[in-house]
Amino acid sequence: MLKRERLLTIRELVDRKGIVTVTEIGENLGVSAMTVRRDLDELAGENLLIRIHGGAQSKRYNQMTELSRVEKRNLHVSEKTAIAKIIGSMINDGDTVYIGPGTTNELVAEYITATDVRVITNSLPVFQSFQSRADHFSLQLIGGRYRPRSGAFIGSLANEVLRRLRTDKAFVSVNGLDEQVLSNANTEEGETQRIALTNAGRRYAVADHSKLNRRDFYGFYDTSQLDGIVTDPQITNNDYTKYRHLTAVFSKPKK
């Protein structure tokens, strides 16, 4: 297959599927991962697709179908790690914190150095990420109806418990953050996140740069009510300036 044909085939595959991994492209085209990465870098340089960790995303992609947490776990890994480190540094000795569902939040446990911290979550994967260090934290898992796609417990039982709890800080992951709206794909999960934010002393949205200027199905909170957005250094100067007008932004653009 000639290079031009290969590039066109990659574009068609990415546009059709929305998000495609390097491995998947290589298997479809019968070429090496190194060749695929070079082709993706070239197409991204021409602004024909978006290069993401481990693959590519279509510029036409409108994420109407929510990715599972397993799929999300392999996207923007370095950015998520950078955010998790920032969150870890924001948690102080004696804090009671709510850490919501999300593959970024699943990395936070590794980077908390504070002591005597109480962690509250309605996410089974987040809870499991803390289990190996359970002797360092007080862990509280909020139950309810289990939502396999995100690993979260949601519904009336989860909401009733969270309404009774007060935390020092809440860290809530979002699928989209556009101007003054935080959004995600599920109404019940969004409502649970809204309650957790409302009952926190300090409220933070967790969003890697790819979530900025995007909206998902359900808007559940106003950006101006936050104490900050925790993002990664890939945020553009324009977005940094834009969101700084609404709230604090934890991470600065790379120079």
Side-chain angles (χ1 to χ4, degrees):
M1 183 182 291
L2 297 175
K3 180 179 179 182
R4 178 176 174 77
E5 182 183 358
R6 192 173 69 238
L7 294 177
L8 288 171
T9 303
I10 291 173
R11 285 181 59 189
E12 189 277 332
L13 182 63
V14 173
D15 282 341
R16 175 161 49 85
K17 300 198 69 174
I19 293 178
V20 187
T21 66
V22 168
T23 300
E24 188 175 358
I25 295 170
E27 289 174 351
N28 273 270
L29 274 60
V31 297
S32 69
M34 183 178 297
T35 298
V36 174
R37 292 190 187 97
R38 282 200 302 264
D39 288 348
L40 291 179
D41 289 341
E42 182 174 335
L43 290 168
E46 295 174 5
N47 203 31
L48 296 172
L49 52 74
I50 300 169
R51 190 75 162 88
I52 61 176
H53 181 84
Q57 177 179 308
S58 171
K59 293 183 70 66
R60 304 176 187 176
Y61 184 47
N62 185 5
Q63 194 169 316
M64 297 303 292
T65 301
E66 182 188 14
L67 296 179
S68 70
R69 60 168 294 274
V70 175
E71 292 170 312
K72 290 179 180 178
R73 190 172 55 192
N74 296 317
L75 299 176
H76 305 293
V77 176
S78 61
E79 290 91 337
K80 291 175 180 178
T81 300
I83 293 170
K85 290 178 180 179
I86 294 171
I87 294 173
S89 71
M90 295 169 70
I91 296 173
N92 300 319
D93 293 350
D95 274 351
T96 295
V97 297
Y98 169 82
I99 300 179
T103 52
T104 300
N105 286 347
E106 292 170 25
L107 303 174
V108 171
E110 186 176 347
Y111 301 105
I112 297 178
T113 59
T115 60
D116 193 29
V117 175
R118 179 187 285 122
V119 176
I120 297 168
T121 186
N122 62 312
S123 165
L124 182 59
V126 169
F127 177 82
Q128 291 172 329
S129 73
F130 279 89
Q131 278 186 296
S132 63
R133 301 185 63 199
D135 55 335
H136 292 81
F137 305 102
S138 172
L139 302 180
Q140 176 69 58
L141 177 63
I142 303 298
R145 180 166 55 81
Y146 184 62
R147 184 168 183 261
R149 196 155 196 83
S150 64
F153 291 100
I154 58 174
S156 58
L157 179 59
N159 293 347
E160 180 61 27
V161 173
L162 280 170
R163 283 191 187 98
R164 296 172 181 270
L165 301 180
R166 299 295 181 269
T167 59
D168 296 302
K169 296 161 187 169
F171 298 91
V172 168
S173 287
V174 300
N175 287 358
L177 201 167
D178 184 21
E179 292 291 346
Q180 295 197 12
V181 180
L182 308 186
S183 59
N184 66 13
N186 181 267
T187 57
E188 288 186 286
E189 193 163 326
E191 179 63 13
T192 302
Q193 303 286 62
R194 185 192 66 77
I195 293 168
L197 286 170
T198 299
N199 286 356
R202 300 188 72 80
R203 307 158 184 176
Y204 302 100
V206 177
D208 68 65
H209 71 280
S210 71
K211 307 292 178 56
L212 302 179
N213 309 313
R214 296 183 62 180
R215 289 198 181 194
D216 209 326
F217 175 66
Y218 184 68
F220 65 90
Y221 212 74
D222 191 311
T223 309
S224 64
Q225 294 180 295
L226 296 172
D227 291 283
I229 299 166
V230 190
T231 187
D232 62 85
Q234 297 298 324
I235 184 174
T236 65
N237 284 297
N238 286 342
D239 283 342
Y240 180 78
T241 301
K242 173 181 176 179
Y243 288 102
R244 280 277 293 172
H245 286 301
L246 298 172
T247 187
V249 178
F250 292 84
S251 197
K252 292 186 177 180
K254 283 185 176 179
K255 295 182 178 180

